[in-house]
Amino acid sequence: MKIAIVCYPTFGGSGVVATELGIALAERGHEVHFITYKQPVRLGLLGNNIHFHEVHVPEYPLFHYQPYELALSSKLVDTIKMYEIELLHVHYAIPHAYAGYMAKKMLQEYGIFIPMITTLHGTDITLVGKHPFYKPAVTFSINKSDVVTSVSEALKKSTLELFEIERDIEVIPNFIEKNKYSTEYTDCQRSLMAKDNERIITHISNFRKVKRIPDVIKVFQRIQKEVPSKLIMVGEGPEKENAEQMCDDLGLKDKVLFLGNSTEIDRILCFSDLFLLPSETESFGLAALEAMINKVAVVSSNTGGIPEVNIDGVSGFLSNVGDVDDMASKALQILKDDQTLEKFKQNAYNVASKFDIVNILPLYEEIYEKAYNSR
Ligand code: GMT
């Protein structure tokens, strides 16, 4: 099929899922067109069946806010017509589903009927979308999509609770590409990060409030009192500066490394022992899944869709949001001896393997076909 994918091109989970899905679809022979304001970070080489179309929003001084939705829907109309695209898949409802619906309506004027799949990712529902300023438009664009998918059962439940939804929502979980990890890194440079006797704890996120970054540091503070360890913090975002200050204040500066954004998180995860994800809310927790496929155990909060990914007592442990004492004691339980740690690491890998793209991609192909045939 010829498929247009709209997503955020950034390091965030929804953009990563959309990009990896597009790449996998292209590998399966589909023609994939990414339409967004910048080339997605995980999108490497473009080729015969993988294209990128940039949405430009020219600055005009009259506009206090530049109209991205308008530019996106116009770009969608032009690209869909030019490349005879057969299906539109938008990731993250705001404003993509709204712009997609407008494009769909405009295309009907040319006798083109294109189905639109909307994938809900989390904050588009639980944080931003439910805000009264956006809610009517988000409700409308979900109801007007031809197929709606959600990345977890928990997110589906929240969507049905928070919005007046008049349609089915299919759950298609996020995925990883297991094949990519089948060969261990031969250049896994653990020694650059920590001494042989130290455990390595990692956190990767966009450093927003919802990630509860101070909890990551509080849990680590407790861990390092009992077990020699280092904390690696990967990502950029509004909470990063506070986090650096907090580490300084707690005398942890020498034990915590802030690495910024990385396109090579596997190189960091390959030497990590434990991943911390104490988020306030998380529709899925793709970062945890990426850790798990790299054989990293996870201690996380038990919010949203995380329990569907991190299996309590198997791939790691779950605690109530904000219960840093419990998280630290569970982390210590995992890290206490090599044998226990190895068991959790292997379990994490086994659980993550179930989310292999080989199992998930056909679910998307199935809904694409159904939507296309019933247009
Ligand atoms: O993690 C974030 O805050 C970024 C956000 C996004 O939309 O890119 O992530 C959301 O989508 C990811 C991919 O489906 C999920 O794994 C994350 O759990 C979800 N984030 C939240 O719900 C906070």
Side-chain angles (χ1 to χ4, degrees), residues 186-251:
T186 46
D187 60 345
C188 198
Q189 295 174 321
R190 189 181 214 282
S191 57
L192 290 180
M193 297 290 166
K195 299 186 196 120
D196 279 355
N197 67 330
E198 287 176 324
R199 301 292 196 204
I200 300 184
I201 325 289
T202 302
H203 172 79
I204 303 175
S205 77
N206 52 19
F207 283 65
R208 295 192 185 276
K209 270 240 156 13
V210 68
K211 303 294 170 183
R212 296 186 66 98
I213 302 296
D215 286 5
V216 174
I217 296 165
K218 287 180 200 164
V219 173
F220 175 70
Q221 187 199 19
R222 287 155 174 77
I223 295 174
Q224 56 84 42
K225 280 187 186 156
E226 311 275 331
V227 170
S229 43
K230 288 266 162 64
L231 173 65
I232 301 179
M233 302 283 272
V234 184
E236 292 288 344
E239 292 292 298
K240 192 177 161 200
E241 232 179 271
N242 283 347
E244 283 170 314
Q245 187 59 52
M246 188 173 167
C247 290
D248 209 3
D249 296 346
L250 294 172

Side-chain angles (χ1 to χ4, degrees), residues 12-15 17 92 121-123 126 151 174 206 210-211 281-287:
S14 63
V17 169
Y92 207 91
H121 277 275
T123 46
T126 55
V151 298
N174 287 334
N206 52 19
V210 68
K211 303 294 170 183
T281 150
E282 201 72 64
S283 69
F284 184 87
L286 184 65

Side-chain angles (χ1 to χ4, degrees), residues 145-295:
S145 303
D146 295 287
V147 178
V148 178
T149 76
S150 126
V151 298
S152 64
E153 291 290 346
L155 180 60
K156 173 178 174 175
K157 193 163 168 271
S158 305
T159 310
L160 296 175
E161 279 165 10
L162 294 168
F163 298 85
E164 274 158 41
I165 300 300
E166 301 153 357
R167 45 157 323 105
D168 279 351
I169 298 179
E170 305 206 26
V171 176
I172 302 187
N174 287 334
F175 53 83
I176 32 79
E177 201 181 329
K178 190 176 160 188
N179 244 347
K180 248 176 42 187
Y181 308 93
S182 55
T183 48
E184 304 260 338
Y185 273 111
T186 46
D187 60 345
C188 198
Q189 295 174 321
R190 189 181 214 282
S191 57
L192 290 180
M193 297 290 166
K195 299 186 196 120
D196 279 355
N197 67 330
E198 287 176 324
R199 301 292 196 204
I200 300 184
I201 325 289
T202 302
H203 172 79
I204 303 175
S205 77
N206 52 19
F207 283 65
R208 295 192 185 276
K209 270 240 156 13
V210 68
K211 303 294 170 183
R212 296 186 66 98
I213 302 296
D215 286 5
V216 174
I217 296 165
K218 287 180 200 164
V219 173
F220 175 70
Q221 187 199 19
R222 287 155 174 77
I223 295 174
Q224 56 84 42
K225 280 187 186 156
E226 311 275 331
V227 170
S229 43
K230 288 266 162 64
L231 173 65
I232 301 179
M233 302 283 272
V234 184
E236 292 288 344
E239 292 292 298
K240 192 177 161 200
E241 232 179 271
N242 283 347
E244 283 170 314
Q245 187 59 52
M246 188 173 167
C247 290
D248 209 3
D249 296 346
L250 294 172
L252 295 172
K253 217 172 146 191
D254 296 342
K255 294 184 177 178
V256 186
L257 274 100
F258 287 86
L259 296 185
N261 278 331
S262 169
T263 49
E264 292 190 307
I265 54 160
D266 306 334
R267 285 184 182 274
I268 296 158
L269 290 168
C270 73
F271 50 63
S272 300
D273 296 307
L274 183 74
F275 188 82
L276 294 177
L277 191 67
S279 307
E280 182 79 36
T281 150
E282 201 72 64
S283 69
F284 184 87
L286 184 65
L289 183 64
E290 292 189 322
M292 287 158 62
I293 200 66
N294 279 284
K295 296 195 174 145

